Amino acid sequence: MPSWKKYGFTAALFFFFPQAQAAAPDTALAARLAAFDGWVGSRMAMERMPGMTIGFTRGDVEWVKGYGYADLENGVPMTAVSSYRLASVTKPMTAAAILQLVEQGKVDLDAPVQTYVPYFPVKPFPVTVRLLLGHLAGIDAYRDRKLEQHFKEHKTTRESIAVFEHFDLIAEPGTRYRYTSYGYNLLGAVIENVSGERYGDYMQRHVWGPLGMAATIMDDPAAVIAHRVRGYGLVGKEVKNSEFVDVSSRFSAGGTRSTVPDMLAFGKGILGGKVLSPASLALMQESMVTRAGRLSDYGMGWEVYPTGGRYVMSHSGQQPETATYLFSFPSRQLTIAVASNLERVNTAAFAERLFEVVTGEPWQLKPYIAQANAQPYAQLARVLFEEGRAQLEKTGQPYASEAATQAFEQINRQALKQDDAKAASLFIAAGRHPAGGRVLLTAGSSMAARLRQAGFDLDQYAHGGPLAFVRDYIVLSQAAPAGSMPRFELSFEQAMLKLGASWDRTGAVAWPEQASSVAQLSQQLETAFRGQLAYPDFMTEINELAQASSGRGDSAEALAAGGLAVALYPLSDRAQALHGILLMRAGDSVASMAALRLALARDPQGAASATALNNAAYRLKAGGAVAAGTALLQAAIQLHPRDANLHDTLGSFYVEQRLPAQAVQAYRQALRLDPDYPGADGAREVISRLAETH
């Protein structure tokens, strides 16, 4: 087995296998990719990742590389053609197959699913194919995770549907977005019953084969599969072999296995129109909308949400043995794919860094606004930029240009002349949705079109971001003849000019890669940002620094990183929550609670929400700090006493620590709060088992 020193990637082996017809990167890009190797090695060591494969295709250029190990026990290196479980990256492939059948007239998007899967029980409301594609059909996700996520036996399609077919709908179809693999299992059954072929056979003949995806197959634990990787998970700080789970129960939602080159071939082939018509591709790319007029940010098989003012389609996958991500940027002819054999790792971070290497653009600029009364202005600027520039990148044209003047008037009236900052924020949050008239998309895309018409290169805003985008529009509109361009309310214009000027001074400040300590970082950054109204938000980097310090056992340096976060970003809920979590890990529960309360006051739905703290407790446990995770859950319950899931998680922590009386008490409290919460059946089972054994 490779030593951990070698496994730390000081001497890892790397392989590059470009596809036969692909061109190699040019010299400049090749040099940047070589530097990328060092970043990957450091990041993988920090995450304790056994192995990973990552690559991109842009136009005719393709690059794929394997890092680390496919099998630690036998020292098998990872390669470009290593075979991973795809997990939910299967879903856009299933969506493509359904849309093929729609094009052939064999499937009606608005027909009830029982038209094609007659054995699926009729529900109180129609469950249609269209709504299944967008996770809007009211189908629930896992209810008993301890059972449903740990099947050991192979399941047929009929058996897979039987797992959830009698679940009640969680909402009337069309009214609520609920991400669920079960809905995509139903779509797999549609494919089989309409085509007369098994799901895998249909996909091979009509999707994978035509796109040249020769390595993509159904996962089969008994089959001999070339280049199959071994999966791993972290137990505390120790890498362990993954639990064996047969994923046939998720067949068309996450039951496949493939390689990064095949993932790239899928992304490129879909956008190239090789298996779908332009009309079907447009359906995949368009966010669905709830009956109440809210975007779900999920189309048909793809997440679709503007990032950094870019139009992007993506899908992630998480499953025993694997973590995957697929990004596609249609207007750039760029697809990025990544797969790891470590469960629950953040593969998106690797894809985002590769995007920066390939394009030379930052993934997303995140200005921190140092004045509380200016934060709603920055929030508005961000959404105008994200929606507006992405619209121009996607279609080349503004959205509803004839309504631009009215959109500006509505923004001025309802967001910028509000004395109530909370009401203004609610309007901004609602303004991107159809129910809000899509006024922010209308105004933002009009701004982008005006800037382009005046000779501004919209690509430059990848480096300037929302503050520069809105500032430049304001300067342009102020210089234009009266009435020729929509204008913002004067106080907003004045504030944005000041924020833009401050950002001009600080926006180019980079995270100091070579700082030797948190104290040195603090000196550099606090000096650079002192007295500024807007400067870069390095919370992600500080969080990673704290994580790395904790991983080395340097709790003092980790706590110092939390102190740096609140010193630089006192108005940030993320900074306060990070500091609170680190204080809890250090054993200072009183100071931790104060920081967490402050984080919750900053943003009730943010980093100190019940869900966020629940996830943070799991991360502490995964890092070996079970007691700190338990204490954090107890603090979270003080902040969110009515949240049943927090009590359920606390019960599971007590079980792991062999504290049965406390576990039973926690589970019973969860059931008192909500007898039907998602883990209720599992909680009753644990209570019964503990009662029998004690």
Side-chain angles (χ1 to χ4, degrees):
M1 176 178 178
S3 71
W4 275 106
K5 182 177 180 181
K6 185 177 181 183
Y7 174 64
F9 304 100
T10 56
L13 298 173
F14 306 106
F15 293 84
F16 167 39
F17 294 85
Q19 288 191 347
Q21 297 180 346
D26 60 31
T27 303
L29 178 54
R32 297 199 301 273
L33 289 167
F36 176 64
D37 286 349
W39 181 88
V40 169
S42 298
R43 178 81 185 210
M44 289 179 70
M46 181 183 75
E47 301 274 8
R48 300 186 72 79
M49 291 172 62
M52 180 189 75
T53 303
I54 189 168
F56 76 89
T57 175
R58 183 172 63 171
D60 294 330
V61 175
E62 181 166 315
W63 175 93
V64 185
K65 197 166 190 177
Y67 297 82
Y69 293 93
D71 182 338
L72 286 174
E73 292 177 348
N74 298 295
V76 179
M78 197 69 80
T79 73
V81 294
S82 292
S83 177
Y84 299 82
R85 284 181 167 178
L86 280 185
S88 288
V89 174
T90 306
K91 289 182 174 70
M93 301 177 186
T94 296
I98 288 288
L99 288 171
Q100 283 183 337
L101 294 170
V102 171
E103 290 178 9
Q104 297 165 19
K106 297 177 180 178
V107 170
D108 179 351
L109 285 173
D110 296 310
V113 70
Q114 291 84 1
T115 306
Y116 312 107
V117 189
Y119 57 76
F120 186 70
V122 174
K123 304 298 180 180
F125 304 97
V127 173
T128 68
V129 175
R130 184 189 302 273
L131 295 177
L132 286 168
L133 284 164
H135 301 289
L136 289 173
I139 301 294
D140 204 355
Y142 304 114
R143 290 193 174 180
D144 184 352
R145 292 177 180 271
K146 295 179 179 64
L147 171 67
E148 296 164 46
Q149 291 190 320
H150 301 274
F151 290 126
K152 309 299 182 188
E153 71 283 355
H154 179 82
K155 289 190 179 295
T156 64
T157 297
R158 183 67 189 89
E159 290 167 340
S160 299
I161 303 302
V163 171
F164 66 93
E165 64 183 7
H166 294 298
F167 288 2
D168 292 335
L169 297 180
I170 59 167
E172 183 178 348
T175 64
R176 178 182 167 188
Y177 175 81
R178 169 64 157 159
Y179 181 85
T180 168
S181 288
Y182 289 150
Y184 266 72
N185 275 355
L186 265 178
L187 292 171
V190 170
I191 292 167
E192 291 192 342
N193 290 352
V194 169
S195 69
E197 300 180 70
R198 292 186 303 176
Y199 171 80
D201 293 338
Y202 180 90
M203 298 299 291
Q204 185 59 54
R205 280 169 30 87
H206 299 280
V207 178
W208 301 334
L211 294 180
M213 299 167 62
T216 305
I217 56 175
M218 301 306 295
D219 189 64
D220 183 349
V224 176
I225 297 175
H227 311 294
R228 186 204 294 262
V229 304
R230 183 185 291 273
Y232 300 94
L234 286 176
V235 179
K237 297 180 181 180
E238 190 173 358
V239 174
K240 296 284 190 180
N241 287 316
S242 292
E243 172 194 1
F244 168 69
V245 175
D246 189 306
V247 294
S248 58
S249 65
R250 319 171 193 188
F251 70 110
S252 54
T256 57
R257 183 174 286 275
S258 189
T259 65
V260 164
D262 271 22
M263 293 168 68
L264 295 174
F266 176 74
K268 184 175 182 177
I270 284 290
L271 296 179
K274 291 185 177 180
V275 294
L276 287 178
S277 69
S280 293
L281 182 58
L283 282 175
M284 295 188 91
Q285 296 177 346
E286 197 65 31
S287 170
M288 288 201 180
V289 181
T290 67
R291 195 176 302 167
R294 293 190 64 84
L295 297 168
S296 67
D297 297 321
Y298 195 100
M300 293 187 176
W302 293 93
E303 297 164 353
V304 284
Y305 187 81
T307 301
R310 307 176 192 90
Y311 177 63
V312 58
M313 304 159 59
S314 65
H315 214 295
S316 62
Q318 291 281 350
Q319 197 176 82
E321 301 185 20
T322 196
T324 56
Y325 228 121
L326 178 63
F327 287 93
S328 192
F329 303 84
S331 65
R332 297 161 182 258
Q333 298 184 5
L334 172 63
T335 298
I336 295 174
V338 57
S340 173
N341 59 344
L342 179 66
E343 300 168 10
R344 300 186 180 279
V345 72
N346 178 17
T347 48
F350 293 90
E352 291 165 9
R353 185 62 173 246
L354 182 58
F355 174 89
E356 294 176 339
V357 169
V358 172
T359 66
E361 299 177 3
W363 175 256
Q364 188 165 31
L365 296 174
K366 295 174 285 187
Y368 172 77
I369 308 303
Q371 289 184 336
N373 60 0
Q375 288 188 337
Y377 289 163
Q379 179 191 3
L380 174 60
R382 182 186 62 79
V383 182
L384 288 168
F385 168 68
E386 292 279 4
E387 296 283 329
R389 183 171 176 261
Q391 170 70 16
L392 266 288
E393 185 169 289
K394 179 181 179 182
T395 69
Q397 301 298 323
Y399 178 86
S401 56
E402 71 284 354
T405 299
Q406 295 93 321
F408 274 78
E409 291 173 353
Q410 193 172 348
I411 291 168
N412 288 335
R413 185 174 63 253
Q414 294 186 247
L416 301 179
K417 291 184 178 179
Q418 285 273 7
D419 293 330
D420 183 349
K422 183 177 181 181
S425 294
L426 289 174
F427 169 79
I428 294 167
R432 65 178 295 267
H433 296 281
R438 305 219 70 176
V439 294
L440 300 183
L441 172 60
T442 301
S445 61
S446 171
M447 293 164 66
R450 292 274 190 168
L451 287 167
R452 184 181 62 183
Q453 185 179 4
F456 287 81
D457 180 3
L458 296 182
D459 288 343
Q460 71 177 328
Y461 295 113
H463 300 278
L467 298 183
F469 175 80
V470 174
R471 185 268 316 277
D472 288 352
Y473 178 84
I474 288 170
V475 171
L476 183 66
S477 65
Q478 288 177 340
S484 64
M485 287 179 65
R487 290 277 300 271
F488 288 109
E489 199 270 335
L490 184 59
S491 63
F492 175 72
E493 292 187 347
Q494 292 171 339
M496 291 305 302
L497 292 175
K498 292 178 181 177
L499 290 174
S502 183
W503 183 250
D504 286 343
R505 293 188 288 270
T506 64
V509 175
W511 175 255
E513 299 284 355
Q514 301 303 319
S516 60
S517 67
V518 173
Q520 184 182 354
L521 270 174
S522 179
Q523 182 179 9
Q524 290 178 257
L525 295 177
E526 290 190 59
T527 299
F529 299 156
R530 186 172 294 119
Q532 296 299 323
L533 299 175
Y535 47 87
D537 184 337
F538 291 133
M539 273 304 305
T540 297
E541 290 82 357
I542 292 174
N543 192 33
E544 290 175 357
L545 176 62
Q547 180 182 343
S549 298
S550 294
R552 295 193 305 269
D554 192 343
S555 57
E557 194 76 349
L559 196 55
L564 173 61
V566 296
L568 289 177
Y569 310 114
L571 299 177
S572 166
D573 67 297
R574 293 176 65 203
Q576 298 293 347
L578 174 63
H579 196 209
I581 292 165
L582 292 168
L583 285 165
M584 188 67 75
R585 182 161 191 163
D588 191 343
S589 59
V590 174
S592 171
M593 196 68 193
L596 293 175
R597 287 190 188 279
L598 194 52
L600 189 63
R602 295 275 186 265
D603 183 356
Q605 306 303 318
S609 67
T611 298
L613 293 178
N614 190 71
N615 292 338
Y618 273 114
R619 287 194 296 272
L620 285 173
K621 182 166 74 74
V626 180
T630 303
L632 182 61
L633 284 170
Q634 292 166 339
I637 286 170
Q638 290 186 54
L639 296 174
H640 307 282
R642 304 295 302 171
D643 190 277
N645 189 57
L646 285 173
H647 290 275
D648 181 275
T649 302
L650 182 60
S652 71
F653 276 44
Y654 283 140
V655 168
E656 188 163 324
Q657 296 171 79
R658 299 183 180 180
L659 298 170
Q662 292 92 325
V664 168
Q665 182 179 1
Y667 281 125
R668 283 177 175 165
Q669 180 60 18
L671 292 167
R672 278 192 289 269
L673 290 170
D674 183 359
D676 299 316
Y677 77 98
D681 290 342
R684 293 186 183 95
E685 180 185 332
V686 175
I687 291 171
S688 176
R689 185 174 69 248
L690 291 175
E692 290 176 1
T693 56
H694 294 84

